[in-house]
Amino acid sequence: MTQDDLLARAQAWLAEDPDQETREELAALLDRNATDELADRFGGTLQFGTAGLRGELGAGPMRMNRSVVIRAAAGLAAYLNAKGERGGLVVIGYDARYKSADFARDTAAVMIGAGLRAAVLPRPLPTPVLAFAIRHLGAVAGVEVTASHNPPRDNGYKVYLGDGSQIVPPADAEIAAEIDAVRSLADVPRPESGWETLGDEVLDAYLERTDAVLTAGSPRTARTVYTAMHGVGKDVLTAAFGRAGFPPPALVAAQAEPDPAFPTVAFPNPEEPGAMDLAFEAARAVDPDIVIANDPDADRCAVAVPDASVEGGWRMLRGDEVGALLAAHLVHKGATGVFAESIVSSSLLGRIAQAAGVGYEETLTGFKWIARVEGLRYGYEEALGYCVDPEGVRDKDGITAALLVTELASVLKEQGRTLTDLLDDLAVAHGLHATDQLSVRVEDLGVIANAMAALRERPPVSLAGLTVVSAEDLTKGTESLPPTDGLRYHLEGDYKARVIVRPSGTEPKLKCYLEVVVPVGDGSELATARATGARVLAEIKRDLSAAAGL
């Protein structure tokens, strides 16, 4: 693009931008002739895919803003009308991030202008409430305005269809084509009214449904510390805990209320270093049985347990550990159906399912795939996502997962045991499944492309002294999986191990998922097995980094 083309594109964008804030921002860039910054914003467009849209707030087609959202909504509306859904209901939810309410209102206006009906949730609420509302209200689609656990300056746009699960191909490409066909915002009717703002009836129905994940008469004694991570989870989670009869959670006050600046954390993600520090500080003061955290839109659930061997006395459980604990609890409760997980999650779930005689299935990464498993009873993903009531919410749900893990902690407490004890039992029964992740955040996306190319051109023959016995390029798909940009290695030697490498679908990260299985004879071998697992994982991480040129 020449400089003249760049300036012309920016001027055209400015002329139709409906948002005074981004107009002023763009006008200032034009006044300064800030061509590098303009090129960054106008060198392409945010790509609409199976994760919808997600990006930094700001002016221009490479940022999240009202112009981009209006075009996305118009594309979705055109897609729905082309599918014969004219007059159907689109339900819209939003979190408490900057611009979320504006983006929700614009979406509602576009739907009305396109001949659809629209209903907006009454205030910022957890994403699973929106996922529930789609099926509860018989909607043809749903939109959640959220950037989940991304940095404060990001926002996003997640699309669900009428089955209550997120879009998958080919719907994403078909919606993207309709978005691309929008030539001008002047072509998109946006009436000032006509949509419905819902009351609390949908939220009340969701809360009634949360009771279904618990066993009538089960113990409800576990005490929790809870952080909403500056997001929208507090009121819904505390209401659900109150209905269930659990002790009220002790709140991390500094993170309890929604705040789009996320002032106490570098990244509002419980997995990020330091994000749980205030929660652990609160736990040391009140001595609960467990610590629970939601991410800002409360679709993820993190759990921490007392651990005298670590500094500070509290340890975050890995998503794979919580996934296995919930699976074991559901098996104990007599759950039937299919247990499912994504390929990057621990193979321990498959062993638990096999031993229990329930179905098991692996999917590509993301709940858009997990939620579509036929006969699904339980699904999880290592990134702290758990679907424990697929008939109610066909997506990850950090509220119902928190209820279920607190029930499990209560059951164990009545037996004089803990979540850690149950993890030990699972390791003895099925082998110690040690997992870790090599996650590289980049400024230049070329680093990710180069690493993937290096691994494809020169696949490793061994990692940590374990032989790579199979190397799969997942772009070609497998018998059970559609194509995706990823690489999977199976390793054998003294131990079995697995490595999966893929670019993140929502953040500028290269993610490598590592697992090693160490046999355990009895409980006396657990400490040695854990040390072995940690050592082998560290060696795999080192060798993989070298092979990828990171």
Side-chain angles (χ1 to χ4, degrees):
M1 192 187 316
T2 67
Q3 186 167 339
D4 286 347
D5 290 339
L6 175 64
L7 294 175
R9 192 173 185 202
Q11 291 282 7
W13 188 275
L14 178 63
E16 65 173 19
D17 189 338
D19 188 318
Q20 181 176 346
E21 186 177 337
T22 46
R23 276 201 313 274
E24 290 174 355
E25 178 187 315
L26 182 52
L29 291 174
L30 286 164
D31 287 346
R32 296 203 316 269
N33 199 29
T35 52
D36 287 349
E37 177 70 9
L38 289 168
D40 186 47
R41 292 162 182 257
F42 288 88
T45 58
L46 279 184
Q47 292 302 298
F48 185 93
T50 51
L53 293 167
R54 200 176 288 188
E56 185 180 347
L57 291 162
M62 288 294 290
R63 297 287 188 270
M64 282 296 296
N65 50 65
R66 290 183 61 197
S67 297
V68 163
V69 164
I70 289 166
R71 289 170 182 272
L76 173 60
Y79 167 84
L80 293 171
N81 284 330
K83 295 293 183 184
E85 302 289 7
R86 190 171 187 84
L89 174 67
V90 178
V91 62
I92 301 151
Y94 59 102
D95 67 11
R97 284 177 176 266
Y98 296 117
K99 299 289 184 183
S100 286
D102 294 340
F103 295 167
R105 190 168 50 249
D106 282 331
T107 299
V110 170
M111 296 303 156
I112 298 299
L116 292 146
R117 293 180 294 127
V120 183
L121 293 182
R123 58 187 172 278
L125 286 168
T127 293
V129 177
L130 180 276
F132 167 82
I134 294 165
R135 285 159 58 82
H136 179 70
L137 297 174
V140 299
V143 171
E144 177 69 18
V145 180
T146 181
S148 189
H149 55 277
N150 275 40
R153 286 300 302 169
D154 286 7
N155 213 329
Y157 199 81
K158 187 185 291 190
V159 175
Y160 300 75
L161 294 182
D163 63 355
S165 53
Q166 298 175 49
I167 55 169
V168 295
D172 56 342
E174 293 171 8
I175 295 170
E178 296 286 5
I179 295 170
D180 290 343
V182 178
R183 292 286 164 245
S184 167
L185 294 193
D187 300 332
V188 182
R190 302 196 308 280
E192 294 291 321
S193 61
W195 57 89
E196 178 185 3
T197 299
L198 296 166
D200 278 345
E201 297 83 3
V202 168
L203 176 58
D204 291 342
Y206 168 81
L207 286 168
E208 277 186 39
R209 179 79 202 186
T210 62
D211 297 348
V213 306
L214 303 176
T215 300
S218 64
R220 311 282 167 94
T221 56
R223 295 179 306 109
T224 57
V225 159
Y226 171 72
T227 175
M229 204 66 67
H230 298 296
V232 298
K234 182 202 70 172
D235 290 346
V236 179
L237 182 132
T238 54
F241 270 53
R243 289 177 61 95
F246 288 114
L251 302 178
V252 178
Q255 298 175 334
E257 299 303 328
D259 187 337
F262 303 107
T264 68
V265 290
F267 289 96
N269 178 354
E271 293 180 293
E272 293 283 348
M276 295 290 287
D277 286 355
L278 290 178
F280 294 161
E281 183 180 312
R284 288 189 288 273
V286 302
D287 193 28
D289 298 296
I290 56 174
V291 172
I292 289 174
N294 287 137
D295 66 338
D297 68 326
D299 61 352
R300 288 174 169 82
C301 176
V303 181
V305 295
D307 187 339
S309 71
V310 299
E311 185 179 350
W314 283 85
R315 177 175 77 86
M316 266 276 288
L317 295 181
R318 292 189 173 277
D320 285 318
E321 292 177 303
V322 178
L325 287 168
L326 291 177
H329 186 41
L330 288 168
V331 165
H332 182 72
K333 286 156 69 86
T336 58
V338 178
F339 285 19
E341 64 180 341
S342 64
I343 57 172
V344 300
S345 304
S346 172
S347 59
L348 177 55
L349 183 68
R351 297 204 165 124
I352 292 171
Q354 182 180 25
V358 300
Y360 169 73
E361 198 162 319
E362 267 190 331
T363 74
L364 292 184
T365 307
F367 269 82
K368 57 185 176 282
W369 299 107
I370 293 171
R372 284 181 159 73
V373 168
E374 191 170 341
L376 180 68
R377 175 58 186 87
Y378 168 62
Y380 99 90
E381 190 158 73
E382 55 73 44
L384 309 183
Y386 315 95
C387 175
V388 301
D389 178 25
E391 289 305 305
V393 176
R394 290 195 179 177
D395 199 4
K396 54 187 177 290
D397 182 346
I399 305 296
T400 49
L403 286 170
L404 198 61
V405 80
T406 307
E407 180 186 55
L408 172 58
S410 299
V411 169
L412 293 167
K413 184 177 182 179
E414 295 296 298
Q415 301 167 358
R417 306 177 74 235
T418 66
L419 297 180
T420 306
D421 294 328
L422 181 52
L423 285 171
D424 289 348
D425 293 349
L426 293 171
V428 171
H430 305 292
L432 178 76
H433 289 61
T435 60
D436 199 359
Q437 192 180 125
L438 172 63
S439 181
V440 183
R441 185 180 290 271
V442 301
E443 295 291 332
D444 177 8
L445 292 177
V447 172
I448 295 174
N450 291 339
M452 295 296 288
L455 290 170
R456 285 189 168 106
E457 290 164 12
R458 298 177 299 280
V461 295
S462 71
L463 297 167
L466 303 176
T467 302
V468 177
V469 294
S470 73
E472 299 169 278
D473 188 341
L474 298 176
T475 54
K476 299 167 184 173
T478 71
E479 284 185 13
S480 58
L481 297 171
T484 187
D485 186 7
L487 300 164
R488 179 165 61 179
Y489 307 110
H490 285 100
L491 300 90
E492 291 187 6
D494 292 339
Y495 314 100
K496 290 191 174 183
R498 185 209 64 199
V499 173
I500 294 174
V501 184
R502 59 180 281 272
S504 170
T506 56
E507 298 177 90
K509 283 182 175 181
L510 180 69
K511 302 184 95 170
C512 311
Y513 305 85
L514 323 174
E515 179 179 57
V516 59
V517 182
V518 183
V520 178
D522 59 41
S524 66
E525 299 177 12
L526 279 167
T528 302
R530 286 203 172 90
T532 299
R535 174 181 59 77
V536 176
L537 287 171
E539 291 172 2
I540 292 175
K541 194 182 290 190
R542 177 200 65 204
D543 293 351
L544 184 64
S545 294
L550 295 171

